[in-house]
Amino acid sequence: KDEKTEQWDYQRVLASAHYVCQRCGGKIADAHKTKMLRAGVWIPSNPTPLPGWRSYHLNSIYSVSLTFGRLAVKWLEAKHGDSLSELQNFINSSLAEPWKDRAISIKEEQLAPLCGATERGAYDPTDGGFNLCAIDVQRSYLVWVVRRFYNGNRSHLVDWGMAPWWNDVDEVFAKYACRFCAIDSGYGERTQEVYEQIARRSSVWVAVKGQAKMAEFIRPVYIDPFTGQKNAGQQKVCLLHVNDPAWTEELLARLDGRVAGWQLTKEIDLIYSKQILAVYKSEKRKRNGKTEVTIRSRGDEHMFDCEKYLLALASMLRLGRADIIGDKPASNSQPATETRFDFAA
């Protein structure tokens, strides 16, 4: 790396990259490859193979036409590129290794500083916390996350998962004594279904929809969930329009460690880690010298969306602020679950 800019000097990488012997630590150069390959012997590592089957593992490091330097540059470009698919392609094609194993280690490394001491599914009901739930609606299933919030901008992850139907989410809601739940109503094919389900639980469930352009952070409105139906005009439910770019930035700030107090459980699984890190910021320097920052996605981001909606919902309830929860002053001596806030119109 360049000592001043901390950027990789690819010319120096090309000239200096070499292979270090895992047994003696000796330096293996590109010039040694041909002789080594000619003297190489295939050694079976499976003592009980199926009859007639042979398997081989050969990565790009063996190639005589691809130098160690070229391979090192290719790795750095893939690792620090904008697309996760480039890194996955390098792991699969150039190293001939499974992507899943490498992906787990990368994600655990990134999220390790945020992991607390709380086991998954555990929380103290007497610590003044406030359990909230968020649901991201998909075509055939529901993704949910439960997080416990406190005053002073502190919260910790409780549990997460996927559910096939609404009654399964009701069980999660009851199990963790959640006070409110935010449900994404942006999945077009299921929007009416979402509104009808919220109508049945309108005092504790609220619809949420991300907006790309909003002046406010949050804008609550009350809508008729049965518009155009025979029972229209009988009830209204709360819909929270949320400033999607702003709350994405808020969550990224917590994932980056720029906002303290936001914690995960002691251990997280691959599904949560993959989805919470699916959204990232990409910076590109333009010809005029200015840096353009864009928000990008690399796969399913359902858990990220749930956590984003939880931050917005908590803000709506004024959690993380010392002044009020519902209509009572909040403190650690008074459980936040005593709030009398009601989303019903």
Side-chain angles (χ1 to χ4, degrees):
K1 282 185 176 181
D2 184 281
E3 295 180 359
K4 294 182 179 180
T5 65
E6 285 294 312
Q7 299 297 314
W8 285 102
D9 185 333
Y10 288 148
Q11 291 298 326
R12 289 170 59 192
V13 172
L14 282 171
S16 63
H18 57 276
Y19 194 99
V20 177
C21 177
Q22 60 266 44
R23 289 196 176 184
C24 70
K27 179 179 177 179
I28 301 175
D30 291 301
H32 298 136
K33 275 190 181 183
T34 303
K35 184 178 180 180
M36 292 173 68
L37 289 170
R38 286 175 178 171
V41 177
W42 286 103
I43 301 176
S45 59
N46 183 3
T48 56
L50 291 173
W53 284 85
R54 292 190 181 188
S55 300
Y56 299 91
H57 178 260
L58 195 68
N59 60 42
S60 296
I61 296 174
Y62 288 83
S63 173
V64 292
S65 61
L66 184 62
T67 65
F68 293 133
R70 290 289 181 188
L71 195 62
V73 169
K74 187 176 180 181
W75 157 250
L76 291 173
E77 289 177 336
K79 186 177 180 181
H80 300 289
D82 292 335
S83 173
L84 194 64
S85 62
E86 295 178 17
L87 180 59
Q88 181 175 354
N89 182 63
F90 183 89
I91 299 296
N92 292 153
S93 301
S94 297
L95 296 187
E97 294 177 0
W99 163 248
K100 182 181 292 185
D101 293 342
R102 186 62 58 93
I104 293 173
S105 64
I106 292 172
K107 296 180 190 311
E108 287 180 346
E109 178 183 342
Q110 287 179 260
L111 295 177
L114 299 173
C115 292
T118 307
E119 298 288 346
R120 180 176 179 177
Y123 71 95
D124 181 359
T126 65
D127 64 1
F130 189 97
N131 284 355
L132 298 178
C133 180
I135 300 172
D136 189 55
V137 178
Q138 297 302 302
R139 181 186 297 273
S140 58
Y141 61 95
L142 308 168
V143 179
W144 57 268
V145 173
V146 175
R147 175 169 287 273
R148 190 165 185 79
F149 288 85
Y150 304 85
N151 293 308
N153 207 36
R154 186 166 64 93
S155 70
H156 74 78
L157 180 62
V158 176
D159 202 358
W160 63 93
M162 291 180 286
W165 196 241
W166 300 103
N167 59 332
D168 300 293
V169 178
D170 283 330
E171 293 179 6
V172 172
F173 193 85
K175 176 181 178 181
Y176 293 117
C178 298
R179 189 61 185 88
F180 298 112
C181 185
I183 300 94
D184 170 34
S185 62
Y187 197 95
E189 297 177 15
R190 302 188 68 177
T191 296
Q192 183 58 41
E193 174 193 345
V194 169
Y195 289 150
E196 292 176 5
Q197 292 295 329
I198 292 173
R200 299 177 185 178
R201 313 161 179 87
S202 59
S203 63
V204 291
W205 281 28
V206 57
V208 60
K209 184 177 292 186
Q211 301 288 339
K213 295 181 179 181
M214 278 180 61
E216 315 98 313
F217 281 98
I218 305 173
R219 184 174 66 249
V221 297
Y222 285 90
I223 63 171
D224 187 338
F226 304 109
T227 300
Q229 301 183 31
K230 62 180 181 180
N231 49 349
Q234 298 180 12
Q235 184 182 358
K236 288 188 177 182
V237 298
C238 184
L239 168 62
L240 293 181
H241 290 287
V242 300
N243 188 323
D244 198 73
W247 289 108
T248 295
E249 287 282 357
E250 283 287 327
L251 182 51
L252 288 175
R254 285 157 176 77
L255 288 168
D256 291 342
R258 288 181 280 127
V259 175
W262 192 87
Q263 285 193 329
L264 304 175
T265 52
K266 187 176 181 180
E267 295 181 352
I268 54 176
D269 63 13
L270 178 60
I271 294 176
Y272 180 90
S273 62
K274 184 177 180 180
Q275 293 191 14
I276 197 67
L277 291 173
V279 179
Y280 67 104
K281 286 167 54 170
S282 173
E283 296 185 0
K284 182 179 180 181
R285 187 172 292 277
K286 303 175 73 174
R287 292 183 178 180
N288 59 9
K290 294 183 179 181
T291 301
E292 182 181 56
V293 179
T294 56
I295 302 297
R296 298 191 177 187
S297 176
R298 49 192 172 200
D300 292 340
E301 54 189 79
H302 312 316
M303 300 290 180
F304 184 96
D305 288 340
C306 285
E307 291 281 22
K308 177 175 60 181
Y309 296 144
L310 282 170
L311 288 179
L313 178 61
S315 175
M316 177 69 182
L317 298 170
R318 298 186 181 182
L319 286 168
R321 294 168 55 179
D323 53 352
I324 188 171
I325 294 180
D327 57 358
K328 290 185 178 181
S331 67
N332 284 337
S333 62
Q334 176 195 310
T337 48
E338 292 182 10
T339 179
R340 293 197 296 270
F341 196 97
D342 195 329
F343 278 113

